[in-house]
Amino acid sequence: MARTLAFLVLLIPGLMAAGGIKLIRDTIFGKLIGPIPFLGLQFVLGIILLVIGLGFFAGFLLHRDRKNGKVQPRFANKKES
């Protein structure tokens, strides 16, 4: 059950990033999609979706690796003294 939940948690940002890449690609080829009024806004929305999706995925992996102690010392949590 836990693995299924983790898969679903990572699936949503992955789909967001893929949608962002598609919007960016369509902007480059000059194809306007759906209710978006102009290409510049479509490009910005694509960048935002891509950054949010990849950022969530990278943060999830960093958190998991920190918990398992598999990160370099510069990425490890700083202990309060």
Side-chain angles (χ1 to χ4, degrees), residues 37-78:
F38 54 93
L39 289 174
L41 180 61
Q42 181 173 307
F43 184 77
V44 170
L45 287 175
I47 293 288
I48 290 171
L49 286 173
L50 179 65
V51 168
I52 290 173
L54 288 180
F56 185 87
F57 190 77
F60 181 85
L61 291 179
L62 180 62
H63 174 73
R64 187 193 65 180
D65 287 346
R66 277 183 180 164
K67 190 168 62 170
N68 295 332
K70 295 182 180 180
V71 294
Q72 293 180 0
R74 67 179 178 173
F75 295 118
N77 286 334
K78 306 243 189 293

Side-chain angles (χ1 to χ4, degrees), residues 12-24:
I12 294 168
L15 291 175
M16 285 175 55
I21 290 171
K22 182 186 180 332
L23 287 175
I24 293 169

Side-chain angles (χ1 to χ4, degrees), residues 1-15 56-57 60:
M1 182 67 178
R3 287 183 185 256
T4 305
L5 184 62
F7 175 72
L8 289 176
V9 166
L10 291 178
L11 181 68
I12 294 168
L15 291 175
F56 185 87
F57 190 77
F60 181 85

